[in-house]
Amino acid sequence: MNIPRIKTIQPLPESRLLVTFVNGVQKLYDCREIMQLDRFQLLKNEVFFKLVAVDPGGYGVSWNDKMDLSEYELWTNGKAYA
């Protein structure tokens, strides 16, 4: 499967991310489920959550060097956004 790279990322209320891919498709990714994992506990802090940025090349998004999500995760588990 050829997963498109990420063009932009926008943090939204209720711990969601609006992901725009280079092919124009937009998906809504709900981070509440991953926030249950120890590694993603910092995302519960709203200020930190809003620091999300697209990684160079568009192959994922990250908050810091240890907390990131791949384009595959966002594409596969994101919901279509109209």
Side-chain angles (χ1 to χ4, degrees):
M1 180 184 332
N2 191 12
I3 306 294
R5 289 175 290 138
I6 298 166
K7 182 177 180 181
T8 63
I9 190 76
Q10 180 181 354
L12 298 175
E14 300 177 8
S15 304
R16 296 172 300 152
L17 298 172
L18 177 59
V19 188
T20 303
F21 293 88
V22 294
N23 63 359
V25 172
Q26 289 188 308
K27 294 202 174 192
L28 197 60
Y29 184 86
D30 189 340
C31 293
R32 289 177 289 192
E33 192 169 319
I34 64 168
M35 286 177 174
Q36 305 309 311
L37 303 172
D38 287 342
R39 141 177 196 204
F40 290 104
Q41 290 296 302
L42 274 175
L43 295 184
K44 292 178 179 178
N45 178 314
E46 188 176 341
V47 173
F48 183 78
F49 182 78
K50 290 180 178 180
L51 296 175
V52 66
V54 177
D55 290 339
Y59 293 102
V61 299
S62 60
W63 289 268
N64 62 24
D65 289 342
K66 296 180 180 180
M67 198 173 311
D68 58 14
L69 294 170
S70 69
E71 81 282 8
Y72 177 85
E73 170 68 15
L74 296 167
W75 178 264
T76 305
N77 294 313
K79 306 295 183 211
Y81 184 79

